[in-house]
Amino acid sequence: MKTLESCGWDVAGCQGGISMLAKPAAYIGKPFKVDSFEEELDGCNIRETILRSTGLCISSSSWTGIQDYCRFSFALDSGEFQRAMDCITRFKELVL
């Protein structure tokens, strides 16, 4: 939660489980270009943008069905979890 919040995401409360929901509040409406992919970021296309720019795959709001909220799974081994945190931080540096 701390990493997401420090990187501009509004995190829905989490009481346990293997995933959490967060809204990319600081990113919505920001222009972003990676390779030939150029978009104004929203809760749906942010998945593709993060995947193309960092290699991290999340579930967009199209998947969650909750406007602008994405799903992050954190049932990972510690190495993969740290890599995911690094990707989230790198994405912030690329966009904000």
Side-chain angles (χ1 to χ4, degrees), residues 6 36 94:
S6 72
S36 62
L94 291 171

Side-chain angles (χ1 to χ4, degrees), residues 16-80:
I18 61 169
S19 65
M20 74 173 79
L21 296 176
K23 178 180 180 177
Y27 302 89
I28 293 176
K30 299 278 186 193
F32 189 75
K33 181 178 181 181
V34 60
D35 302 324
S36 62
F37 183 80
E38 187 170 357
E39 293 284 338
E40 183 175 296
L41 296 176
D42 61 32
C44 293
N45 66 19
I46 197 161
R47 177 204 174 276
E48 186 69 21
T49 307
I50 291 173
L51 180 61
R52 287 179 183 233
S53 63
T54 69
L56 179 66
C57 186
I58 65 172
S59 299
S60 71
S61 62
S62 297
W63 187 90
T64 66
I66 305 169
Q67 184 175 357
D68 292 330
Y69 276 85
C70 301
R71 178 180 174 254
F72 290 84
S73 294
F74 49 85
L76 306 167
D77 68 46
S78 60
E80 283 296 307

Side-chain angles (χ1 to χ4, degrees), residues 3-4 7 9 56 72 84-92:
T3 298
L4 287 170
C7 289
W9 293 77
L56 179 66
F72 290 84
M85 296 299 99
D86 293 344
C87 289
I88 292 167
T89 302
R90 188 171 344 121
F91 188 71
K92 174 189 175 189

